[in-house]
Amino acid sequence: RHPGQYHRWEVAQTCPLCRADLPEGLDGLRDLAYRAFVRISGMVKRGEASWASLAAAEREEMQEVVAMLTEAAAQGHMMARAMLANIYGFGEGVAQDDGRVFELYRQA
């Protein structure tokens, strides 16, 4: 089997956006997303930015945060599901989506 080829039951070990290698395990993926989220959230709390008008770099980083959390949540990581639910619930860098929030909390 080719090293880059995955069977249908295996999970890709690369970021869905940039295709960089993922950190070890789901905890590592969630931690990476959390660190990026905290940095952007701090900017918003300090008044340097707002969720509605993030700069392009921060919008892209939030897309990566959501992608990483979505990947971890899809594989059953409950903390990633809860964090993703909060992000969607408060519309932090994404469109507010109560249906998605309900589904994520139901799964967690």
Side-chain angles (χ1 to χ4, degrees):
R1 159 178 110 182
H2 184 273
Q5 183 179 8
Y6 294 98
H7 291 285
R8 64 179 172 82
W9 62 84
E10 291 180 337
V11 177
Q13 296 300 309
T14 59
C15 172
L17 293 178
C18 68
R19 301 297 180 214
D21 288 339
L22 295 178
E24 288 294 318
L26 297 178
D27 288 332
L29 184 58
R30 185 252 173 211
D31 289 346
L32 185 62
Y34 178 77
R35 285 193 299 270
F37 175 78
V38 166
R39 187 187 73 74
I40 296 169
S41 179
M43 291 174 64
V44 171
K45 288 178 183 175
R46 290 187 302 272
E48 299 169 9
S50 73
W51 289 115
S53 61
L54 290 174
E58 282 73 30
R59 278 195 312 271
E60 184 176 330
E61 194 167 1
M62 275 306 297
Q63 289 174 347
E64 292 173 8
V65 165
V66 170
M68 288 186 282
L69 291 174
T70 299
E71 179 68 26
Q75 295 182 49
H77 195 281
M78 293 192 1
M79 291 295 292
R81 287 178 180 163
M83 186 173 171
L84 197 55
N86 283 335
I87 288 172
Y88 278 109
F90 292 106
E92 296 171 326
V94 298
Q96 198 167 6
D97 186 345
D98 291 337
R100 180 94 167 113
V101 171
F102 176 78
E103 184 61 26
L104 286 162
Y105 276 133
R106 187 186 66 73
Q107 292 171 357

